[in-house]
Amino acid sequence: YLSAVIAILVALVIFWHIVAQEERFLVENWNSTGGGTVTKDAAATYANINYNKVVPLTTDCQVAVAMGSDMTSTRGLFASINSIVSNFGSDERKLCFYIFSSNDDLSERQNGMDCVFGSSSSSSTQDHDHGHNTNKSHKEQFSSVLPSNVEIIHKKIEREKTWFPIIYTADDEAEGNMAGMEYNYARYYIRPENVNGLQKVIWIDSDTIVRGDVQELYDMDMTGYVVAGVNYWEPLRNYLCTNPRLDQIAMKTSDGRKTPFEVSKHLNNGLLILNLAEMQKQRILEKWEKLSRKHDLICLWTQSDKAFNLAINGQYKELPIEWNVGYLGSQEYHRYNDACHSAKMLHWNGAGKPYNAGRSMSLCVDQFDIYDVISQQEKGQCLPKTNR
């Protein structure tokens, strides 16, 4: 009996020692990645980043929108661009779309854009009536040629050359869908040099219809803010792991200082006004990289896009809800009153999209149909072959 007790005690001591060592390892690594200490490789990378670099302005764009999507969402991308152009309330200010594509998708993307909207390398000279100011039929209203003050500019996502610091995690890479990952993270890696020296850009997801004038967003004062966007109602904790180390992060929300578990809402990334200069000044990507390395050690979040909320410490400029009425692809319409007709941006985040097999579970599909150039202009041949 005594030998059995001794064996149990020895086993408990060994188990405690292993657990203590693992905990000490995690704490040491957590502190080393969170206290401003970085690895030699990371330090070398940071040394090459010039945060005070002045990028010359080489464009006459006055309002800039950035977008990108995998090829399965091409039809949605076309409709979203069409809605933005149709509701742009100026014939004089120049509106530019920066379309980010992976290396594999770039050529097919550009060919599709040219097929739908005409030449994307320069502005068209044909005039265009804005959709919200005309009673013309939809086919007349939505010309397939861009107005003279609109330009589409194609950009290649160069992950291996320009994506540093590395904010995606080992889990992201393990999923194997590198193209999908590139489109998910591309918005955060936009720098002034990627958009001809512009200091501000509006990122808009492709599963949206924009019924408001994006000038309202672009003209907002972003002084001191990295980003502006719409709050979604779920508490941030719904997307976090039950990790007590998250209590070490102080979130500076509009409701005061909170831990991540106490934040009652979260920023949705489907529409973001990005202050590119402030993004670099506050070194948001460096902060995010440190969080990602911690996540690789012990789980911090269950959805990688929610990590941006942690990287900015919950501090962002809040936009009115009508600028991102979401979950229209998951039957959440009951949360809004008359959203289909009053929203400034409709967002089909969720499984259902009005342009794929999930249309039956999508809401407000009639608003998508108004701007769907593929059906309105009979441009089915402009879609990737896999989407036809």
Side-chain angles (χ1 to χ4, degrees):
Y1 176 78
L2 181 61
S3 61
V5 172
I6 293 173
I8 292 172
L9 290 174
V10 170
L12 288 172
V13 169
I14 293 172
F15 175 76
W16 176 86
H17 181 69
I18 292 172
V19 170
Q21 277 193 320
E22 182 178 358
E23 177 64 18
R24 186 161 53 251
F25 170 78
L26 289 172
V27 169
E28 288 172 355
N29 280 275
W30 176 272
N31 292 336
S32 69
T33 56
T37 303
V38 296
T39 65
K40 290 182 179 180
D41 290 341
T45 299
Y46 298 151
N48 293 326
I49 304 175
N50 182 359
Y51 291 99
N52 297 316
K53 178 182 178 181
V54 177
V55 179
L57 186 65
T58 58
T59 179
D60 58 350
C61 298
Q62 295 167 292
V63 178
V65 173
M67 305 182 77
S69 72
D70 60 33
M71 300 306 287
T72 62
S73 295
T74 296
R75 187 168 184 169
L77 179 64
F78 290 162
S80 186
I81 291 172
N82 193 26
S83 70
I84 295 167
V85 172
S86 298
N87 293 297
F88 189 65
S90 173
D91 293 319
E92 297 179 354
R93 296 181 78 183
K94 185 168 182 179
L95 168 65
C96 290
F97 290 91
Y98 289 87
I99 308 299
F100 289 84
S101 301
S102 68
N103 183 61
D104 292 340
D105 295 344
L106 182 62
S107 178
E108 189 171 16
R109 172 84 75 216
Q110 186 163 358
N111 289 338
M113 288 285 184
D114 289 350
C115 179
V116 171
F117 297 108
S119 175
S120 60
S121 60
S122 62
S123 299
S124 168
T125 58
Q126 182 170 334
D127 291 332
H128 180 78
D129 290 316
H130 298 293
H132 61 301
N133 291 326
T134 181
N135 293 320
K136 292 182 179 181
S137 69
H138 293 318
K139 285 191 177 182
E140 294 174 319
Q141 182 175 338
F142 302 129
S143 170
S144 62
V145 179
L146 292 174
S148 59
N149 64 322
V150 177
E151 183 177 1
I152 294 176
I153 302 165
H154 291 276
K155 293 288 183 178
K156 183 169 72 173
I157 298 172
E158 297 185 299
R159 178 174 55 87
E160 295 182 355
K161 292 183 179 180
T162 63
W163 278 26
F164 54 84
I166 297 174
I167 61 175
Y168 51 90
T169 67
D171 291 340
D172 293 319
E173 292 185 283
E175 290 178 2
N177 182 12
M178 296 304 291
M181 186 191 75
E182 287 183 339
Y183 288 118
N184 288 336
Y185 283 100
R187 70 200 73 190
Y188 306 113
Y189 281 105
I190 299 174
R191 296 183 172 98
E193 51 263 40
N194 303 131
V195 287
N196 299 107
L198 293 168
Q199 299 295 308
K200 183 194 299 183
V201 68
I202 307 169
W203 177 275
I204 298 177
D205 276 356
S206 60
D207 55 353
T208 62
I209 289 295
V210 179
R211 301 175 69 253
D213 188 343
V214 292
Q215 291 181 100
E216 178 183 334
L217 300 175
Y218 203 78
D219 292 340
M220 285 186 177
D221 181 13
M222 291 290 292
T223 303
Y225 286 100
V226 167
V227 65
V230 169
N231 286 322
Y232 273 19
W233 55 85
E234 303 100 329
L236 184 59
R237 67 174 178 271
N238 288 5
Y239 302 96
L240 302 177
C241 303
T242 53
N243 186 336
R245 290 180 175 82
L246 286 168
D247 285 326
Q248 298 178 26
I249 300 174
M251 306 285 280
K252 301 174 183 177
T253 73
S254 59
D255 298 325
R257 284 183 174 269
K258 306 279 186 180
T259 70
F261 297 116
E262 296 172 329
V263 177
S264 61
K265 53 201 174 185
H266 72 276
L267 172 67
N268 179 267
N269 65 1
L271 182 148
L272 300 173
I273 308 173
L274 295 167
N275 184 344
L276 305 182
E278 195 67 27
M279 188 99 165
Q280 295 191 81
K281 179 181 177 181
Q282 295 190 27
R283 303 194 175 190
I284 297 300
L285 294 187
E286 286 189 27
K287 295 175 183 177
W288 194 340
E289 184 195 37
K290 292 173 184 176
L291 288 168
S292 294
R293 300 296 72 81
K294 292 172 183 177
H295 177 78
D296 287 338
L297 289 169
I298 184 168
C299 180
L300 296 183
W301 51 75
T302 57
Q303 287 190 16
S304 56
D305 62 312
K306 303 303 185 292
F308 186 51
N309 286 260
L310 300 177
I312 60 175
N313 293 110
Q315 194 170 20
Y316 53 90
K317 188 164 188 171
E318 298 179 12
L319 299 178
I321 184 64
E322 58 262 28
W323 269 112
N324 191 344
V325 173
Y327 293 117
L328 299 179
S330 59
Q331 299 289 329
E332 288 282 355
Y333 179 72
H334 65 275
R335 294 182 180 274
Y336 308 102
N337 293 319
D338 195 33
C340 291
H341 301 96
S342 62
K344 292 185 177 181
M345 191 184 88
L346 297 164
H347 190 187
W348 283 272
N349 50 337
K353 311 290 183 187
Y355 47 84
N356 65 17
R359 182 180 174 90
S360 62
M361 70 175 72
S362 300
L363 299 161
C364 307
V365 294
D366 61 315
Q367 293 300 304
F368 174 84
D369 293 343
I370 291 173
Y371 298 97
D372 180 19
V373 291
I374 296 302
S375 61
Q376 295 291 346
Q377 295 287 340
E378 298 179 354
K379 292 282 188 177
Q381 75 278 10
C382 300
L383 289 172
K385 291 182 180 179
T386 54
N387 291 177
R388 295 176 190 173

PDB file of all heavy atoms in Angstrom, residues 252-266:
ATOM      1  N   LYS A 252      -9.271  50.482 -25.487  1.00  0.00           N
ATOM      2  CA  LYS A 252      -9.688  51.872 -25.284  1.00  0.00           C
ATOM      3  C   LYS A 252     -10.928  52.143 -26.134  1.00  0.00           C
ATOM      4  O   LYS A 252     -10.879  52.794 -27.164  1.00  0.00           O
ATOM      5  CB  LYS A 252      -8.561  52.817 -25.667  1.00  0.00           C
ATOM      6  CG  LYS A 252      -7.277  52.586 -24.873  1.00  0.00           C
ATOM      7  CD  LYS A 252      -6.141  53.451 -25.396  1.00  0.00           C
ATOM      8  CE  LYS A 252      -4.846  53.166 -24.665  1.00  0.00           C
ATOM      9  NZ  LYS A 252      -3.700  53.952 -25.201  1.00  0.00           N
ATOM     10  N   THR A 253     -12.052  51.632 -25.697  1.00  0.00           N
ATOM     11  CA  THR A 253     -13.286  51.724 -26.480  1.00  0.00           C
ATOM     12  C   THR A 253     -14.015  53.034 -26.206  1.00  0.00           C
ATOM     13  O   THR A 253     -13.661  53.790 -25.297  1.00  0.00           O
ATOM     14  CB  THR A 253     -14.219  50.547 -26.144  1.00  0.00           C
ATOM     15  OG1 THR A 253     -14.788  50.756 -24.836  1.00  0.00           O
ATOM     16  CG2 THR A 253     -13.469  49.228 -26.163  1.00  0.00           C
ATOM     17  N   SER A 254     -15.076  53.258 -26.982  1.00  0.00           N
ATOM     18  CA  SER A 254     -15.896  54.454 -26.754  1.00  0.00           C
ATOM     19  C   SER A 254     -16.633  54.387 -25.427  1.00  0.00           C
ATOM     20  O   SER A 254     -17.150  55.391 -24.939  1.00  0.00           O
ATOM     21  CB  SER A 254     -16.906  54.609 -27.899  1.00  0.00           C
ATOM     22  OG  SER A 254     -17.742  53.463 -27.994  1.00  0.00           O
ATOM     23  N   ASP A 255     -16.691  53.203 -24.840  1.00  0.00           N
ATOM     24  CA  ASP A 255     -17.326  53.023 -23.525  1.00  0.00           C
ATOM     25  C   ASP A 255     -16.317  53.039 -22.389  1.00  0.00           C
ATOM     26  O   ASP A 255     -16.643  52.707 -21.252  1.00  0.00           O
ATOM     27  CB  ASP A 255     -18.096  51.690 -23.494  1.00  0.00           C
ATOM     28  CG  ASP A 255     -19.220  51.640 -24.509  1.00  0.00           C
ATOM     29  OD1 ASP A 255     -19.833  52.698 -24.746  1.00  0.00           O
ATOM     30  OD2 ASP A 255     -19.467  50.558 -25.068  1.00  0.00           O
ATOM     31  N   GLY A 256     -15.074  53.438 -22.693  1.00  0.00           N
ATOM     32  CA  GLY A 256     -14.028  53.470 -21.676  1.00  0.00           C
ATOM     33  C   GLY A 256     -13.096  52.276 -21.789  1.00  0.00           C
ATOM     34  O   GLY A 256     -13.191  51.465 -22.708  1.00  0.00           O
ATOM     35  N   ARG A 257     -12.175  52.165 -20.844  1.00  0.00           N
ATOM     36  CA  ARG A 257     -11.206  51.067 -20.857  1.00  0.00           C
ATOM     37  C   ARG A 257     -11.886  49.752 -20.478  1.00  0.00           C
ATOM     38  O   ARG A 257     -12.617  49.688 -19.492  1.00  0.00           O
ATOM     39  CB  ARG A 257     -10.062  51.359 -19.892  1.00  0.00           C
ATOM     40  CG  ARG A 257      -9.069  52.396 -20.425  1.00  0.00           C
ATOM     41  CD  ARG A 257      -7.918  52.587 -19.456  1.00  0.00           C
ATOM     42  NE  ARG A 257      -6.894  53.458 -20.024  1.00  0.00           N
ATOM     43  CZ  ARG A 257      -5.856  53.045 -20.732  1.00  0.00           C
ATOM     44  NH1 ARG A 257      -5.702  51.759 -20.952  1.00  0.00           N
ATOM     45  NH2 ARG A 257      -4.973  53.897 -21.202  1.00  0.00           N
ATOM     46  N   LYS A 258     -11.621  48.736 -21.261  1.00  0.00           N
ATOM     47  CA  LYS A 258     -12.213  47.423 -21.038  1.00  0.00           C
ATOM     48  C   LYS A 258     -11.176  46.349 -21.336  1.00  0.00           C
ATOM     49  O   LYS A 258     -10.218  46.564 -22.081  1.00  0.00           O
ATOM     50  CB  LYS A 258     -13.410  47.204 -21.976  1.00  0.00           C
ATOM     51  CG  LYS A 258     -14.492  48.278 -21.937  1.00  0.00           C
ATOM     52  CD  LYS A 258     -15.432  48.079 -20.781  1.00  0.00           C
ATOM     53  CE  LYS A 258     -16.586  49.071 -20.833  1.00  0.00           C
ATOM     54  NZ  LYS A 258     -17.521  48.890 -19.692  1.00  0.00           N
ATOM     55  N   THR A 259     -11.368  45.175 -20.766  1.00  0.00           N
ATOM     56  CA  THR A 259     -10.617  44.022 -21.239  1.00  0.00           C
ATOM     57  C   THR A 259     -11.361  43.492 -22.468  1.00  0.00           C
ATOM     58  O   THR A 259     -12.555  43.783 -22.658  1.00  0.00           O
ATOM     59  CB  THR A 259     -10.547  42.913 -20.177  1.00  0.00           C
ATOM     60  OG1 THR A 259     -11.853  42.327 -20.014  1.00  0.00           O
ATOM     61  CG2 THR A 259     -10.060  43.469 -18.848  1.00  0.00           C
ATOM     62  N   PRO A 260     -10.694  42.703 -23.311  1.00  0.00           N
ATOM     63  CA  PRO A 260     -11.393  42.168 -24.488  1.00  0.00           C
ATOM     64  C   PRO A 260     -12.674  41.412 -24.148  1.00  0.00           C
ATOM     65  O   PRO A 260     -13.639  41.453 -24.916  1.00  0.00           O
ATOM     66  CB  PRO A 260     -10.342  41.242 -25.106  1.00  0.00           C
ATOM     67  CG  PRO A 260      -9.041  41.843 -24.709  1.00  0.00           C
ATOM     68  CD  PRO A 260      -9.258  42.366 -23.322  1.00  0.00           C
ATOM     69  N   PHE A 261     -12.697  40.752 -22.997  1.00  0.00           N
ATOM     70  CA  PHE A 261     -13.888  39.992 -22.613  1.00  0.00           C
ATOM     71  C   PHE A 261     -15.051  40.899 -22.211  1.00  0.00           C
ATOM     72  O   PHE A 261     -16.196  40.449 -22.164  1.00  0.00           O
ATOM     73  CB  PHE A 261     -13.559  39.039 -21.456  1.00  0.00           C
ATOM     74  CG  PHE A 261     -12.543  37.995 -21.812  1.00  0.00           C
ATOM     75  CD1 PHE A 261     -11.315  37.961 -21.175  1.00  0.00           C
ATOM     76  CD2 PHE A 261     -12.806  37.050 -22.784  1.00  0.00           C
ATOM     77  CE1 PHE A 261     -10.370  36.998 -21.498  1.00  0.00           C
ATOM     78  CE2 PHE A 261     -11.867  36.085 -23.120  1.00  0.00           C
ATOM     79  CZ  PHE A 261     -10.647  36.058 -22.481  1.00  0.00           C
ATOM     80  N   GLU A 262     -14.757  42.165 -21.933  1.00  0.00           N
ATOM     81  CA  GLU A 262     -15.805  43.096 -21.489  1.00  0.00           C
ATOM     82  C   GLU A 262     -16.359  43.952 -22.617  1.00  0.00           C
ATOM     83  O   GLU A 262     -17.342  44.667 -22.428  1.00  0.00           O
ATOM     84  CB  GLU A 262     -15.234  44.021 -20.399  1.00  0.00           C
ATOM     85  CG  GLU A 262     -14.808  43.302 -19.125  1.00  0.00           C
ATOM     86  CD  GLU A 262     -14.067  44.224 -18.169  1.00  0.00           C
ATOM     87  OE1 GLU A 262     -13.375  45.150 -18.645  1.00  0.00           O
ATOM     88  OE2 GLU A 262     -14.174  44.010 -16.949  1.00  0.00           O
ATOM     89  N   VAL A 263     -15.737  43.882 -23.801  1.00  0.00           N
ATOM     90  CA  VAL A 263     -16.170  44.726 -24.922  1.00  0.00           C
ATOM     91  C   VAL A 263     -17.495  44.197 -25.466  1.00  0.00           C
ATOM     92  O   VAL A 263     -17.603  43.019 -25.831  1.00  0.00           O
ATOM     93  CB  VAL A 263     -15.101  44.745 -26.032  1.00  0.00           C
ATOM     94  CG1 VAL A 263     -15.589  45.556 -27.222  1.00  0.00           C
ATOM     95  CG2 VAL A 263     -13.803  45.335 -25.496  1.00  0.00           C
ATOM     96  N   SER A 264     -18.493  45.042 -25.517  1.00  0.00           N
ATOM     97  CA  SER A 264     -19.857  44.605 -25.839  1.00  0.00           C
ATOM     98  C   SER A 264     -20.155  44.561 -27.330  1.00  0.00           C
ATOM     99  O   SER A 264     -21.268  44.229 -27.735  1.00  0.00           O
ATOM    100  CB  SER A 264     -20.868  45.539 -25.151  1.00  0.00           C
ATOM    101  OG  SER A 264     -20.695  46.877 -25.627  1.00  0.00           O
ATOM    102  N   LYS A 265     -19.163  44.891 -28.184  1.00  0.00           N
ATOM    103  CA  LYS A 265     -19.395  44.944 -29.631  1.00  0.00           C
ATOM    104  C   LYS A 265     -18.060  44.695 -30.322  1.00  0.00           C
ATOM    105  O   LYS A 265     -17.041  44.475 -29.663  1.00  0.00           O
ATOM    106  CB  LYS A 265     -19.924  46.328 -30.012  1.00  0.00           C
ATOM    107  CG  LYS A 265     -19.058  47.469 -29.501  1.00  0.00           C
ATOM    108  CD  LYS A 265     -19.805  48.780 -29.421  1.00  0.00           C
ATOM    109  CE  LYS A 265     -18.939  49.858 -28.762  1.00  0.00           C
ATOM    110  NZ  LYS A 265     -19.673  51.112 -28.553  1.00  0.00           N
ATOM    111  N   HIS A 266     -18.076  44.691 -31.648  1.00  0.00           N
ATOM    112  CA  HIS A 266     -16.815  44.549 -32.365  1.00  0.00           C
ATOM    113  C   HIS A 266     -16.909  45.255 -33.712  1.00  0.00           C
ATOM    114  O   HIS A 266     -17.996  45.491 -34.240  1.00  0.00           O
ATOM    115  CB  HIS A 266     -16.441  43.075 -32.553  1.00  0.00           C
ATOM    116  CG  HIS A 266     -17.292  42.353 -33.561  1.00  0.00           C
ATOM    117  ND1 HIS A 266     -18.519  41.808 -33.246  1.00  0.00           N
ATOM    118  CD2 HIS A 266     -17.094  42.092 -34.874  1.00  0.00           C
ATOM    119  CE1 HIS A 266     -19.037  41.250 -34.317  1.00  0.00           C
ATOM    120  NE2 HIS A 266     -18.200  41.399 -35.327  1.00  0.00           N
TER     121      HIS A 266
END
